[in-house]
Every structure is written in C-alpha cells, then in structure tokens.
Amino acid sequence: MAAAPTLGSITAVQAMTPAFERAKQQLFRPFRFSHWWRLALTALLAGEMSSGGNWGNSGNWHVPGRAGKGKDLFLLAAPPWMGWHDYLGVIVAAIALGLALGVVFIYVSSVFRFILFDSVLTERVRIREGWRRWQDRGGRFFLWQIGFSAVMLTLLGMVIGLPLLYAWRTGMFKDSGEHWGAFLVGGLLMLFVGGALLIAAVLVGVFNKDFVVPLMALEDLSAMEAWRRLLPMLKSEKGSYAGYIGMKIVLAIVSGIVFGILGLFALIFALIPLAILGIVVAALVVALGLTWNPFTIILAVLVGATGLFGLFWMMTLVSVPSVVFFQSYTLHFFGSRYARLGAMLAPPAPPTAAPVSA
C-alpha cells in the first residue's frame, strides 16, 4: 500500500490553481525558448499532441496517367504497369512497415512519457539523459501497453467479429429482410458492449499516463505492481477521481478549442513555405524526367515523413502551455494523495538562521 499523503487531499477544481502557477513558473519565469522547444519535442514523442487541430487532413493524391497522355506538374510519371495486383508486394511491405513503425513509436512514447513526467516535475528537460534513465521503466510500460492492447483487440473482435461471422456463416446477410429484428438487437448489443469496452480502454489509458507512470517512476515498479498500488487509492476516493476525470474532459474541450485555433494559424503559417518548396521540387522532378522506382518512392516517403513530423512539432510548440498545465494538474491532484510525489511538489522550507553565539 502507498503511504498516506503528506499533503491534504485537494479536489479536482482546487488542483487547477497550483497547476496554472506551475505552468507559468516553468514557461514564462523566465521564458526560455530552448526549454520550450525541448518540451515540445518531448511532448510530441510522448504522444501528447493536444492542440485540438486536425492532424490527419493531408489532401487528395492521385496517380497520373501514362507518359504521353499529359503530365502532372506535381507528381512523378506513373510506372509502366497499372494493375493493383502488381503492387501487392509493395502494399504488403508497406502495411508491415507501418505496423513495425507503430510498435516502435509506442516504445518511444512509453519512454518519453517518463521523460515528460520528470521534465515537468523537476522543471528541467534532459532528453538524452532522460532516455538512459527511463528506458528500463519505459520498456516495462511498453510491454504493459502492448499486452493491454492485445487483450482489448481480442475482446472487441469477440464482441463484434464473432456475431458478424455467425451471421455470415448462417446466411443471414442473404435474407437480411427476414432477420431485421436479429440485426437490430445484435447491432444494439454490439454498440453498447463495444462502446463500454472502448470507454474502459480510454479510462485505463488516462489512469496509466496520469497515475501509473508516477508510481512506476518514483518507486521503480512494474506496471502491474503500480496498478496494485493504485486500485486501493481509486476505491477509497471514487468520487474524487470521478471528478478528476470529469474536470479533465471539460478542460480538454476548452484547451482543444483555444489551442486548436492557435494551431490552425501555425499550420497555415508553416504550409506557405512548404508549398513553395513543394512547387520547386515538383518542377525539378518534371525537368529531370524522374519516374517512380524504389529509390524515388523511399525518398518521397522520407521527405514526406520529415515534413509531417515538422508540422506536428510546430503544432506541439503552440500547445506546450496546455501540455505543461495538464501534466502539472495531474501532479498536484495525485501528489496530494501520494506522499512521495507530494513531498517533491511541496516547496522547500526556508533556511533557519543560525543562532548567534554570545
């Protein structure tokens, strides 16, 4: 069991004031751009892209026709084969690469979750040192996330996939008009049960990054051991933690609106030079008569990934105050209930004057 807190427990509303003060102290007293951009990079790699903007709208791309039937200024000439089956190997390789990169990012974000916690707690961002320090605990957290994701995907597959498989095997889709009642009841059940699983997964994710990570960081625990410490705390103050979740939802909505607007302006500002650069590159491609081949495909992917990462980083730069506030909010709420964290948040006692000798 975790030790009794050294500070009086505060409510979710009361935690806002010290969180604001901590964010202002760390970011603006004084303002240090080197500290700011390191926090943005740490937050981005930890998966904290919380500005509320649209991250996935990248426009429409199409494959041009064969050479000799017109040229598209912005795209390479198409290869001499056009059937989708000719791309099957590339598609499979791309899917496998995407899954591998996804797993790598989960691992990196697991480690950077601890670096972000340490950065806001100590007000010092040490990325290289933090990677060495937190890699072991980040690895444990990564294994927990992979295992939990596998369990949730299995459950969702059973709730949604098995009924659909049964309906297909029994021929219900062929005579759907005769089975509309079964489809209605089954669809509602899948909706409610699947929705409940998704809500549970989201709550576990919030508790993971807000409460499990501090327990793992400060006591060198595994994720399961940290959950065993956390569960009694949740049961003893169900209302307080429910209020915390509710307040985070409200604050996230407000933050998403404010920083979403700011992020949109930042995105427009960043896209102007990128668009000019893209036009220049496209003109060079057309002038050189390049075509799609393994080299140009890999080069295009690398350039695109670099540009996309840069855009994400700029969006995160705008939302650094939101990231620091929410991390501080968690620290102060949980620190008033967890003694070791609370002692690190409490300001040090002023030095006492030495007695004057007679």
Side-chain angles (χ1 to χ4, degrees):
M1 296 292 293
T6 57
L7 303 176
S9 297
I10 60 177
T11 66
V13 175
Q14 292 170 336
M16 292 175 59
T17 300
F20 275 121
E21 288 301 318
R22 189 176 198 87
K24 288 191 296 183
Q25 178 70 30
Q26 181 161 174
L27 296 177
F28 302 107
R29 298 174 183 171
F31 172 79
R32 297 161 292 166
F33 182 71
S34 61
H35 183 76
W36 191 292
W37 74 256
R38 285 183 174 89
L39 273 173
L41 180 60
T42 301
L44 176 60
L45 294 176
E48 287 287 335
M49 296 182 293
S50 57
S51 68
N54 185 355
W55 298 84
N57 187 9
S58 57
N60 296 319
W61 292 84
H62 62 278
V63 178
R66 293 176 181 268
K69 294 184 179 180
K71 293 184 178 180
D72 191 321
L73 178 62
F74 301 103
L75 295 176
L76 298 174
W81 55 88
M82 298 301 294
W84 69 268
H85 54 277
D86 293 314
Y87 293 96
L88 185 58
V90 176
I91 293 172
V92 172
I95 293 174
L97 180 61
L99 291 175
L101 290 177
V103 172
V104 170
F105 178 76
I106 294 174
Y107 175 75
V108 171
S109 66
S110 298
V111 179
F112 269 87
R113 175 60 54 186
F114 288 88
I115 300 176
L116 179 61
F117 163 77
D118 181 59
S119 299
V120 178
L121 178 63
T122 63
E123 301 186 5
R124 291 180 296 173
V125 186
R126 297 164 291 187
I127 296 177
R128 284 181 293 183
E129 178 186 338
W131 180 267
R132 293 191 297 268
R133 179 182 180 186
W134 300 112
Q135 191 171 9
D136 179 63
R137 269 160 278 198
R140 298 180 222 163
F141 190 56
F142 163 75
L143 293 176
W144 157 263
Q145 291 197 94
I146 292 295
F148 179 75
S149 298
V151 171
M152 292 304 300
L153 288 174
T154 301
L155 292 176
L156 284 173
M158 294 172 61
V159 169
I160 299 175
L162 289 180
L164 292 177
L165 179 61
Y166 173 80
W168 175 69
R169 292 291 298 272
T170 56
M172 294 177 66
F173 288 114
K174 295 180 180 179
D175 302 314
S176 57
E178 300 178 3
H179 303 284
W180 67 269
F183 280 122
L184 178 61
V185 174
L188 290 175
L189 286 175
M190 286 192 293
L191 177 64
F192 286 118
V193 177
L197 286 174
L198 291 176
I199 292 174
V202 170
L203 288 176
V204 170
V206 172
F207 291 149
N208 268 334
K209 69 185 187 69
D210 287 1
F211 308 134
V212 169
V213 165
L215 288 167
M216 293 180 67
L218 299 182
E219 300 196 31
D220 197 14
L221 302 174
S222 68
M224 289 301 298
E225 290 171 335
W227 268 102
R228 282 194 287 269
R229 295 285 189 92
L230 179 62
L231 286 176
M233 302 169 70
L234 297 177
K235 292 178 181 178
S236 65
E237 289 190 80
K238 298 183 183 71
S240 297
Y241 284 97
Y244 170 83
I245 295 296
M247 184 56 65
K248 281 203 73 171
I249 293 173
V250 174
L251 292 172
I253 293 173
V254 175
S255 174
I257 294 173
V258 173
F259 288 98
I261 295 173
L262 295 176
L264 180 60
F265 283 113
L267 182 62
I268 295 173
F269 177 78
L271 284 177
I272 294 174
L274 284 177
I276 296 174
L277 179 61
I279 293 173
V280 173
V281 171
L284 288 175
V285 166
V286 173
L288 295 174
L290 297 178
T291 59
W292 287 118
N293 56 62
F295 174 76
T296 55
I297 291 174
I298 293 174
L299 183 61
V301 170
L302 291 177
V303 172
T306 302
L308 192 61
F309 183 85
L311 289 176
F312 284 169
W313 190 5
M314 175 163 286
M315 296 285 284
T316 311
L317 274 171
V318 174
S319 65
V320 162
S322 174
V323 172
V324 176
F325 166 75
F326 276 104
Q327 185 66 61
S328 301
Y329 182 66
T330 297
L331 292 178
H332 285 280
F333 177 84
F334 193 49
S336 69
R337 291 160 172 81
Y338 173 39
R340 185 168 296 184
L341 178 58
M344 298 178 72
L345 291 171
T352 57
V356 180
S357 57

